[in-house]
């Protein structure tokens, strides 16, 4: 039975699941559901009204981490993306949680929402919130992530994992808000961002996102 992913391409959490599915080679169809105008039936699948949600036959699930971890356990025959040992799995989950709950509120709900989404909906950008995120609040997180990555290519176990994709998906939203990591200040992290963005999975989703961004810019 094929998988249906519900959500909108510019959501970092939807992108995380799309990258996961592409990296795993799992076929899926994207059914676009906007977080701003959801059909009534969507709450049955996602009780909190958040995207993404997934349908796999009779099973429906909400939350990007729950979805990816379900697919990981279901498809043990495919390349692991949550680490290969208990220790690696714990580190991947920690970094995924860190990206989702510490980085996302700043990169996505601070920078991207204000710079890109709000103007497209006729609302003013709160530049003070953007600057507070960029100048005060994000740097300590980037310092921690820079130290944690060190000079490794990937965060955990020498191979790509959800730790990499969960962070990069947030940084893509920051870039959609016209801000990038400073490579002088966070050279390892900036190189890691380029490395992950060069992957086929990311290159597959970005052109569609650029088209949506161009439409949003036309409305601003
Ligand atoms: N922890 C959730 C977060 C999902 C989330 O916050 N999605 C946002 C869009 S990026 C949303 O649906 N917001 C609408 C709302 O909160 O009502 C996940 O990982 O899926």
């Amino acid at each position: 039975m094929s998988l249906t992913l519900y959500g909108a391409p510019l959501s970092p959490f939807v992108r995380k699941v799309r990258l996961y599915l592409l990296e795993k080679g799992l076929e899926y169809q994207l059914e676009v559901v906007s977080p701003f105008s959801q059909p009534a039936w969507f709450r049955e699948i996602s009780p909190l009204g958040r995207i993404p949600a997934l349908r796999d036959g009779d099973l429906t699930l909400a939350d990007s981490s729950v979805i990816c971890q379900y697919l990981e356990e279901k498809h043990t025959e495919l390349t692991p993306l949550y680490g290969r040992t208990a220790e690696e799995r714990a580190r991947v989950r920690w970094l995924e949680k860190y990206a989702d709950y510490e980085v996302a509120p700043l990169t996505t709900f601070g920078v991207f929402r204000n710079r890109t989404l709000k103007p497209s909906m006729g609302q003013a950008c709160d530049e003070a919130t953007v600057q507070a995120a960029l100048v005060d609040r994000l740097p300590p997180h980037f310092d921690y992530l820079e130290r944690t990555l060190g000079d490794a290519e990937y965060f955990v176990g020498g191979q790509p994992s959800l730790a990499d994709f969960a962070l990069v998906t947030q940084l893509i939203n920051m870039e959609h808000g016209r801000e990038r990591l400073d490579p002088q200040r966070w050279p390892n992290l900036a190189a890691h961002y380029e490395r992950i963005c060069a992957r086929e999975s990311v290159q597959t989703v970005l052109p569609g996102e650029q088209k949506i961004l161009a439409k949003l810019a036309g409305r601003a």
Side-chain angles (χ1 to χ4, degrees):
M1 186 92 54
S2 70
L3 301 168
T4 303
L5 179 67
Y6 301 92
L10 294 185
S11 157
F13 303 102
V14 172
R15 185 186 306 109
K16 192 213 298 182
V17 178
R18 294 183 82 192
L19 297 180
Y20 179 90
L21 290 160
L22 286 161
E23 291 281 338
K24 284 283 193 186
L26 289 168
E27 278 186 28
Y28 74 100
Q29 55 212 24
L30 179 69
E31 189 166 326
V32 174
V33 172
S34 157
F36 307 113
S37 56
Q38 296 165 3
W41 55 261
F42 187 65
R43 287 248 164 194
E44 283 167 34
I45 300 179
S46 179
L48 299 176
R50 295 193 186 129
I51 55 171
L54 182 87
R55 181 183 295 282
D56 182 10
D58 291 336
L59 177 71
T60 57
L61 293 170
D63 192 278
S64 61
S65 299
V66 171
I67 292 168
C68 292
Q69 291 185 34
Y70 158 71
L71 293 169
E72 187 78 2
E73 287 183 16
K74 188 169 174 186
H75 293 285
T76 50
E77 78 285 5
L78 300 175
T79 311
L81 284 175
Y82 271 96
R84 288 160 299 186
T85 63
E87 188 194 16
E88 284 183 7
R89 281 193 287 277
R91 289 179 60 212
V92 172
R93 289 195 189 112
W94 162 250
L95 289 164
E96 182 182 12
K97 205 174 167 76
Y98 195 94
D100 287 4
Y101 292 96
E102 305 302 324
V103 181
L106 303 169
T107 51
T108 295
F109 301 118
V111 178
F112 171 71
R113 176 184 282 173
N114 274 292
R115 287 267 184 85
T116 307
L117 273 190
K118 280 189 177 177
S120 76
M121 297 189 294
Q123 296 168 18
C125 164
D126 176 355
E127 189 58 26
T129 295
V130 173
Q131 290 307 317
L134 293 171
V135 177
D136 300 326
R137 300 185 62 196
L138 276 167
H141 293 306
F142 292 155
D143 289 344
Y144 165 70
L145 292 164
E146 175 84 6
R147 279 197 310 277
T148 302
L149 177 65
D151 59 6
E153 282 190 35
Y154 306 106
F155 273 99
V156 179
Q159 61 183 24
S161 74
L162 250 288
D164 304 296
F165 297 110
L167 175 63
V168 165
T169 193
Q170 298 302 332
L171 296 177
I172 289 174
N173 275 83
M174 191 169 92
E175 188 164 356
H176 288 347
R178 303 189 299 283
E179 296 292 341
R180 284 170 71 92
L181 279 168
D182 177 354
Q184 307 293 325
R185 198 164 170 191
W186 299 289
N188 297 332
L189 225 43
H192 171 268
Y193 180 63
E194 299 298 332
R195 186 176 304 122
I196 301 297
C197 282
R199 293 182 72 81
E200 196 181 340
S201 59
V202 181
Q203 290 303 313
T204 300
V205 300
L206 282 185
E209 296 191 22
Q210 296 299 347
K211 280 188 195 155
I212 300 169
L213 286 172
K215 273 191 203 157
L216 294 186
R219 278 191 224 151

